[in-house]
């Protein structure tokens, strides 16, 4: 860093300290290193500063100060994202929302609560669980990830097959925009007149604003949950079972698939006595007891017909939790069978699961690598884990290329390059595989409306930065309004 | 070789009293894009129209160069039953789409009134909904992909063909409810649901708002999962409740019986309806939604029913004749409508609308005018107050439609 640049950073740090207090501005290289990356640890960039505001007003003032200093702004939640969405850029100010973790309001009768972005996902359900309510989106990282990050990424989870994603469970948000102004989008009451900007902000990966309050939709817990675990000779039969279950009209709360390698990894990590088989399904049915008894038994019957080897039903809640622990630990467990791995997040039409998995196998064989598959089968959201050893020259690069080939394969089958992890910096280059230049330009126009100078979270989502050009002329009011013939309240 | 998509306008083409300069009825997405591109070059304003069921929503268009009807964009492009998605052109009516989907035991869970006329494009533009919103949400929640014709005539896609997809901004959501002011939704990709094996409707008559709320609380505590919950206003402070369960036969029967017991425990009269009576109840809903020449949508917290009744439903019912009101108790949304008794009652209607809007706005809600004669329109803004994000909404509009040619003046804040 040049002396002049260091001076500018020092002045900005001073200004930020006036806003949030000195202890909430981090400038020390050792402290900054924590913020060099998120859950995607392969890319690292040290930000110029990290600031930890505690209120909407502080966030707004921080944004204004950073903009005045010409520093790009990178919002950050818990940093658990897997797509490099919170990756800093050179000279940036990371705005970390971890101090904003209050639950502000709970309204059970009307089914909503207002929380700050730093509240941990699971803590939302914990706060209302005693009264029989919960917050539905359940990303696997839910014990550490925060609501603000969930909003930025439109996080899913195993149970979004039935319940939808974060966007279906957010009713309103207070947002600090790129110019430091504050707007409220939506709220506890449904259908506020106007464009659904809230729906655009959710999943915008920190490019459109910084969310400082969120109104969440909360649900009554379902009366009953039935779970079963089914093993299959291969992913072909397991895929056929998933298709048959969905085609029968059953909407499972979750239906997850693991292939041989993923099962082996989960066993190694948890000590579960799962057999060595080609594939396994884990399914939850939830809802009224009268319904789940029926749908669960029907689904088991369909799984058998599709070629299931063995069906296991948990004897009690503890055993059920253990089964889910096996599934949820599968990602990290892969670390036990491979020194390194990349996680992918492609989506395919659910009916193509078996074919796509075989194509992935072929691609892996050609690349001389192994791929473990553990994924949300009900909605076709694959999580291929590409295993490699960075100590072997060329293997990391080969793994990266294989990951890219898998994403292209998903798009070729009519799917998506990301189902829940977000595009971030990791998959930005693949956006052009999925979308045409006009598609991307149209999204870019929306970004320009929110942030004409592209100061918020640069380098994410869009493959090539595109300048916004001139701002369109000022809004021309209705001539009758201008003439005073009509008015607005 | 296709013929020109243009035809001369007729009296039926007027929108809120305004005649278009020309009418275009493109037969393909490409032709639609060409029409929009031409208006862009000529600087003409445009209005998109589907079945015309919600054309009275929003302000009078400031200008109306070309009316683009989606009537001939009527293809179901793709139905993938095993993936539970369908790709549909904008001009397909809900009823004709339902027929195609039903052949594979599926449906699009959107049920606004007038399905024979309402088109998917119009339903998206108006974010129209019916009783099933209680379980399935609106077009916003079921729309997973769009092909847009932009204001400059270029085609752009947003979203995709898979339900789970977070690649890029959610353009489908932005289009839902935007009343054709940001672009033409030329094709829509929807998430579908299985047609239920069985359905049961129960009705309880004459409930006071407090009783209704208490019963809803018990339904929730009993962890029942109804597909539709609608309350019909049946006189001052009285509501007839209709609850529908759908799904597999044993589960529908069990939930129906459970609700009947809950009502009995609270000494509430409840009736499990036979098929004909159930059909009549849901037809009553559709009729109530279209009642009168002055119609509004109201939004409040579900717990605010007493104040909605006192501050909105009652005064509107007093001011208008032949009225009807419905309330969705799990959503906090409702519709009220009626007709002017005589030309002299305009002032009373305007006063009632103003009072209702104040009540709702004070509670954090809103009142939107869905239909009204010119005399009422002249005095009541269709959308109400200024949203906190109006500046941002205008910025989005001007980026996507810099010439402000798409339905100018129709949307919130004069957008």
């Amino acid at each position: 860093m040049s002396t002049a640049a260091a001076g500018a950073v020092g002045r900005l740090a001073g200004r930020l300290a006036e806003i949030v207090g000195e202890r909430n501005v981090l400038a020390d290289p050792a402290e900054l290193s924590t913020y060099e990356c998120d859950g995607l640890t392969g890319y690292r960039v040290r930000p110029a500063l990290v600031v930890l505001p505690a209120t909407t007003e502080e966030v707004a003032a921080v944004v204004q100060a950073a903009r005045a200093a010409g520093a790009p702004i990178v919002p950050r939640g818990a940093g658990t994202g897997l797509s490099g969405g919170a990756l800093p850029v050179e000279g940036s100010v990371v705005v970390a929302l971890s101090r904003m973790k209050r639950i502000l309001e709970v309204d059970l009768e009307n089914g909503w609560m207002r929380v700050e972005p730093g509240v941990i996902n699971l803590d939302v359900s914990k706060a209302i669980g005693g009264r029989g309510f919960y917050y539905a989106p359940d990303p696997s990282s839910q014990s550490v990830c925060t609501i603000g990050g969930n909003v930025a990424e439109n996080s899913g989870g195993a149970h979004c097959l039935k319940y939808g994603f974060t966007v279906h469970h957010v009713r309103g948000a207070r947002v600090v925009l790129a110019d430091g102004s504050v707007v409220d989008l939506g709220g506890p009451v449904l259908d506020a007149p106007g464009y659904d900007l809230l729906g655009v902000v959710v999943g915008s990966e920190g490019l459109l604003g910084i969310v400082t309050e969120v109104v969440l939709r909360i649900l009554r817990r379902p009366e009953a949950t039935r779970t079963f675990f089914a093993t299959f000779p291969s992913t072909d039969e397991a895929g056929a079972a998933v298709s048959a279950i969905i085609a029968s009209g059953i909407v499972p709360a979750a239906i997850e698939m693991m292939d041989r390698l993923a099962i082996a990894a989960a066993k190694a990590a948890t000590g579960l006595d799962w057999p060595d088989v080609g594939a396994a399904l884990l399914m939850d049915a939830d809802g009224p007891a009268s319904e789940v008894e029926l749908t669960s038994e029907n689904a088991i019957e369909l799984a058998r017909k599709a070629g299931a080897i063995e069906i296991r039903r948990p004897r009690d809640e503890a055993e059920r939790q253990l089964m889910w622990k096996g599934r949820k630990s599968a990602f990290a467990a892969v670390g036990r069978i491979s020194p390194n791995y990349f996680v992918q997040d492609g989506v395919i039409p659910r009916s193509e699961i078996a074919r796509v998995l075989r194509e992935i196998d072929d691609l892996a064989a050609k690349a001389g690598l192994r791929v473990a598959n553990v994924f949300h089968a009900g909605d076709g959201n694959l999580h291929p884990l590409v295993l490699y050893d960075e100590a072997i020259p060329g293997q990391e690069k080969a793994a990266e290329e294989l990951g890219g080939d898998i994403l292209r394969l998903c798009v070729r089958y009519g799917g998506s390059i990301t189902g829940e992890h977000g595009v971030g910096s990791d998959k930005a280059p693949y956006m052009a595989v999925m979308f045409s230049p006009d598609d991307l330009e149209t999204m870019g126009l929306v970004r320009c409306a929110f942030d004409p100078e592209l100061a918020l979270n640069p380098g994410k989502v869009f493959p090539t930065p595109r300048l916004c050009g001139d701002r369109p002329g000022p809004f021309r009011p209705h001539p009758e309004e201008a003439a005073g013939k009509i008015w607005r309240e | 070789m296709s013929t020109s998509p243009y035809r001369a306008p007729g009296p039926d083409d007027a929108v809120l009293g305004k005649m278009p300069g020309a009418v275009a009825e493109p037969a393909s997405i490409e032709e639609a894009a060409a029409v929009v591109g031409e208006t862009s070059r000529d600087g003409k304003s445009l209005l998109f129209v589907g079945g015309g069921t919600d054309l009275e929503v929003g302000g009078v268009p400031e200008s109306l160069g070309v009316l683009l009807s989606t009537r001939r964009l009527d293809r179901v492009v793709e139905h993938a039953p095993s993936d539970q998605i369908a790709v549909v052109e904008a001009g397909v009516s809900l009823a004709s789409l339902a027929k195609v989907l039903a052949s594979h035991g599926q449906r699009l869970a959107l049920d606004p009134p007038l399905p024979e006329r309402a088109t998917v494009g119009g339903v998206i533009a108006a974010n129209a909904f019916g009783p099933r919103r209680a379980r399935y949400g609106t077009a916003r929640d079921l729309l997973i992909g769009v092909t847009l014709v932009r204001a400059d005539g270029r085609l752009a896609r947003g979203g995709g063909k898979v339900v789970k997809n977070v690649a890029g901004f959610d353009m489908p959501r932005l289009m839902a409810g935007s009343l054709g002011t940001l672009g033409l939704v030329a094709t829509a990709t929807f998430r579908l649901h299985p047609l239920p094996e069985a359905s049961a409707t129960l009705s309880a008559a004459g409930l006071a708002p407090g009783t209704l709320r208490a019963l809803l609380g018990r339904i929730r505590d009993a962890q029942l999962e109804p597909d539709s919950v609608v309350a019909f206003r049946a006189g001052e402070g009285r509501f007839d409740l209709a609850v529908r369960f759908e799904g597999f036969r044993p589960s529908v029967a069990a939930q129906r019986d459970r609700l009947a017991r809950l009502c009995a425990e609270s000494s509430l009269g409840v009736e499990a309806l036979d098929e004909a009576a159930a059909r009549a109840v849901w037809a009553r809903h559709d009729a109530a939604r279209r009642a009168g020449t002055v119609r509004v949508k109201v939004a409040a917290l579900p717990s605010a029913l007493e104040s909605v009744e006192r501050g909105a439903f009652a005064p509107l019912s007093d001011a208008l004749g032949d009225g009807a009101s419905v309330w969705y108790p799990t959503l906090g949304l409702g519709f009220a409508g009626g007709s002017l008794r005589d030309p002299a009652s305009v002032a009373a209607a305007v006063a009632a609308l103003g009072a209702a809007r104040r009540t709702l706005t004070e509670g954090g809600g809103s009142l939107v005018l869905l239909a009204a004669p010119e005399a009422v329109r002249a005095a009541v803004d269709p959308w109400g107050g200024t949203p906190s994000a109006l500046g941002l909404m205008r910025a989005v509009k001007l980026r996507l439609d810099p010439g402000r040619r798409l339905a100018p003046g129709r949307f919130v804040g004069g957008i």
Side-chain angles (χ1 to χ4, degrees):
Chain A
M1 201 186 296
S2 70
T3 323
V9 169
R11 280 191 298 279
L12 177 57
R15 173 71 195 107
L16 294 176
E18 287 168 21
I19 299 165
V20 298
E22 211 162 315
R23 56 190 288 213
N24 295 311
V25 180
L26 312 181
D28 179 65
E31 287 177 313
L32 292 178
S33 67
T34 311
Y35 297 86
E36 282 176 353
C37 65
D38 56 16
L40 185 78
T41 54
Y43 305 99
R44 290 171 188 272
V45 177
R46 183 167 299 178
L49 295 166
V50 173
V51 57
L52 298 123
T55 63
T56 299
E57 294 69 30
E58 286 186 8
V59 173
V62 162
V63 167
Q64 280 162 0
R67 294 297 308 280
I73 296 161
V74 179
R76 181 184 173 100
T80 57
L82 295 169
S83 57
L87 180 70
V89 292
E90 205 61 49
S92 61
V93 173
V94 168
V95 180
L97 286 312
S98 49
R99 286 176 68 217
M100 298 183 67
K101 53 185 179 194
R102 287 177 304 164
I103 290 174
L104 302 170
E105 245 178 305
V106 179
D107 179 352
L108 295 181
E109 176 173 359
N110 295 307
W112 61 273
M113 60 199 279
R114 193 190 303 274
V115 305
E116 289 185 332
V119 172
I120 287 171
N121 173 298
L122 200 55
D123 288 349
V124 175
S125 290
K126 277 186 186 159
I128 50 179
R131 285 166 284 177
F133 287 78
Y134 79 118
Y135 173 64
D138 62 338
S140 290
S141 56
Q142 70 180 143
S143 59
V144 279
C145 67
T146 57
I147 293 297
N150 291 175
V151 169
E153 301 297 315
N154 190 15
S155 302
H159 291 79
C160 58
L161 176 59
K162 178 172 176 184
Y163 291 98
F165 323 109
T166 300
V167 71
H168 298 112
H169 299 273
V170 171
R171 284 194 180 181
R174 182 160 286 178
V175 186
V176 174
L177 301 175
D179 62 359
S181 62
V182 179
V183 294
D184 284 320
L185 305 178
V189 178
L190 299 178
D191 288 13
Y195 295 132
D196 186 9
L197 299 184
L198 179 65
V200 182
V201 164
V202 176
S204 63
E205 306 198 26
L207 272 65
L208 300 185
I210 302 177
V211 167
T212 59
E213 277 183 26
V214 189
V215 178
L216 299 174
R217 172 186 178 216
I218 52 181
L219 302 178
R220 188 73 171 81
R221 276 212 175 279
E223 185 182 15
T225 303
R226 291 287 176 279
T227 301
F228 73 86
F229 175 81
T231 59
F232 296 85
S234 79
T235 51
D236 285 2
E237 292 86 1
V242 171
S243 289
I245 290 167
I246 304 278
S248 76
I250 295 171
V251 183
I255 182 160
E256 304 283 298
M257 196 191 293
M258 285 168 277
D259 69 2
R260 185 183 298 275
L261 215 46
I263 297 167
K267 278 171 67 175
T270 58
L272 277 161
D273 65 335
W274 286 350
D276 179 20
V277 288
L281 290 180
L282 183 62
M283 183 182 128
D284 264 3
D286 74 13
S290 56
E291 184 178 300
V292 300
E293 296 290 353
L294 179 84
T295 52
S296 186
E297 287 311 307
N298 288 352
I300 285 171
E301 196 46 45
L302 291 165
R304 283 194 211 280
K305 278 191 190 144
I309 302 168
E310 185 197 358
I311 305 287
R312 295 187 187 183
R313 297 179 183 80
R315 275 170 305 230
D316 51 27
E317 180 60 21
E319 198 180 344
R320 175 180 174 268
Q321 291 293 347
L322 198 63
M323 284 179 171
W324 271 101
K325 194 177 161 203
R327 157 61 186 93
K328 291 197 174 180
S329 67
F331 266 31
V334 166
R336 291 179 178 252
I337 58 169
S338 173
N340 310 95
Y341 62 95
F342 286 125
V343 182
Q344 280 302 0
D345 177 39
V347 187
I348 52 164
R350 138 180 78 222
S351 57
E352 303 284 9
I353 285 175
R355 262 165 70 186
V356 171
L357 290 181
R358 261 184 276 126
E359 285 207 40
I360 290 176
D361 267 356
D362 292 347
L363 289 171
K366 267 185 217 142
L369 293 167
R370 292 185 300 166
V371 174
N373 286 291
V374 46
F375 60 95
H376 311 304
D379 36 32
N381 186 190
L382 305 179
H383 288 314
L385 301 152
V386 181
L387 314 187
Y388 69 97
D389 184 348
E390 65 183 1
I392 299 171
Q395 219 177 57
E396 178 164 3
K397 190 164 180 296
E400 241 178 274
E401 281 167 11
L402 175 56
D405 287 343
I406 292 172
L407 292 185
R408 276 184 280 269
L409 181 68
C410 293
V411 173
R412 189 145 51 77
Y413 273 88
S416 170
I417 59 169
T418 174
E420 56 184 5
H421 295 174
V423 177
S425 42
D426 186 36
K427 288 185 284 285
Y430 298 97
M431 282 291 277
V433 177
M434 188 168 162
F435 292 107
S436 76
D438 280 353
D439 302 342
L440 291 170
E441 194 219 24
T442 308
M443 292 180 205
L445 291 171
V446 174
R447 183 188 191 187
C448 290
F450 279 78
D451 178 15
E453 283 155 53
L454 311 183
L456 285 177
N457 215 11
K460 318 296 166 13
V461 181
F462 291 93
T464 41
R466 181 187 166 279
L467 298 180
C468 290
D470 290 340
R471 231 181 252 260
F475 192 86
R476 287 175 289 123
H478 191 293
E480 297 206 346
E481 186 183 6
K485 283 196 224 155
I486 61 165
W487 63 92
R488 299 180 215 296
E489 286 159 38
Chain B
M1 194 60 212
S2 69
T3 51
S4 160
Y6 291 97
R7 67 164 170 79
D12 291 348
D13 296 316
V15 176
L16 294 171
K18 207 144 197 159
M19 281 298 286
V23 177
E25 296 184 336
S28 69
I29 306 306
E30 293 67 31
E31 211 167 81
V35 167
V36 176
E38 279 160 29
T39 62
S40 169
R41 280 188 296 280
D42 301 346
K44 282 185 186 156
S45 59
L46 254 175
L47 195 80
F48 307 125
V49 58
T53 55
D54 275 336
L55 270 186
E56 286 193 73
V57 177
V60 178
E62 284 168 32
S63 65
L64 185 40
V66 175
L67 187 75
L68 191 160
S69 162
T70 59
R71 193 176 65 82
R72 293 164 71 202
L73 300 174
D74 59 356
R75 277 166 293 261
V76 176
V77 180
E78 182 183 352
H79 175 206
S82 49
D83 298 318
Q84 294 180 337
I85 62 118
V87 185
V88 186
E89 288 184 350
V92 174
S93 73
L94 290 182
S96 60
L97 176 60
K99 270 191 214 106
V100 173
L101 303 178
S103 67
H104 285 93
Q106 296 184 345
R107 70 177 175 193
L108 172 62
L110 291 174
D111 57 345
L114 305 179
E116 303 286 341
R117 279 178 60 202
T119 60
V120 299
V123 167
I124 293 167
N127 199 36
F129 64 92
R132 291 200 174 90
R133 177 171 179 174
R135 180 158 190 160
Y136 298 100
T138 65
R140 265 173 198 158
D141 304 297
L142 299 170
L143 184 66
I144 57 174
V146 288
T147 305
L148 300 180
V149 179
R150 304 192 333 185
D152 58 7
R154 278 146 82 180
L155 289 173
R157 286 176 315 127
K161 275 169 59 176
V162 284
V163 171
K164 205 170 180 188
N165 171 23
V166 296
F169 298 152
D170 196 336
M171 300 304 286
R173 272 185 183 261
L174 181 60
M175 301 313 292
S178 65
L179 217 64
T181 57
L182 298 177
L184 171 69
V185 174
T187 66
T189 305
F190 287 107
R191 173 185 188 173
L192 308 176
H193 285 87
L195 273 172
E197 178 183 277
S199 169
T201 299
L202 295 95
S203 118
L207 308 182
T211 315
L212 182 62
R213 280 174 56 199
L215 179 58
L216 261 296
R218 278 195 292 279
I219 290 174
R220 197 171 53 183
D221 289 343
Q223 293 154 303
L224 301 182
E225 294 182 358
D227 144 282
S228 307
V229 185
V230 174
F232 301 93
R233 188 170 187 271
E236 191 86 38
R238 286 284 174 275
F239 291 86
D240 296 344
L241 180 69
V243 179
R244 178 168 55 195
F245 297 101
E246 290 187 332
F248 294 104
R249 201 162 280 117
S251 155
V252 167
Q255 294 194 75
R256 177 197 63 205
D257 297 347
R258 185 80 191 278
L259 177 57
R261 280 201 303 280
L262 285 180
C263 290
E265 283 159 23
S266 315
S267 308
L268 296 175
V270 68
E271 196 186 345
L273 305 179
D274 64 24
E275 221 179 295
R279 251 200 316 275
V281 162
W282 299 111
R284 177 184 179 188
H285 165 270
D286 284 13
R289 283 277 303 270
R290 305 297 297 188
T293 53
V294 179
R295 296 196 300 273
V296 299
K297 172 180 166 187
V298 299
L301 286 174
S303 61
L305 179 56
E306 284 91 339
S307 106
V308 172
E309 162 61 14
R310 264 197 323 273
F313 286 155
L316 288 170
S317 167
D318 291 346
L320 301 167
D322 305 322
S325 309
V326 290
W327 174 250
Y328 303 89
T330 57
L331 301 170
L333 299 170
F335 293 87
S339 295
L340 297 175
R341 290 180 217 277
D342 53 70
S345 62
V346 167
V350 168
L353 288 166
R357 182 169 273 168
R358 272 191 300 280
T359 300
L360 293 159
T361 310
E362 276 164 20
S366 60
L367 179 145
V368 172
L369 198 60
L370 302 178
E374 207 183 325
V376 175
R377 268 177 189 280
V380 181
D381 182 285
W383 301 102
T386 304
S388 140
L390 182 59
L392 199 53
M393 290 176 193
R394 286 176 166 171
V396 169
K397 163 73 173 177
L398 289 182
R399 288 286 176 182
L400 290 171
D401 176 20
R404 219 176 145 254
R405 295 181 304 101
L406 307 183
R410 292 272 283 156
F411 203 50
V412 176
I415 288 173

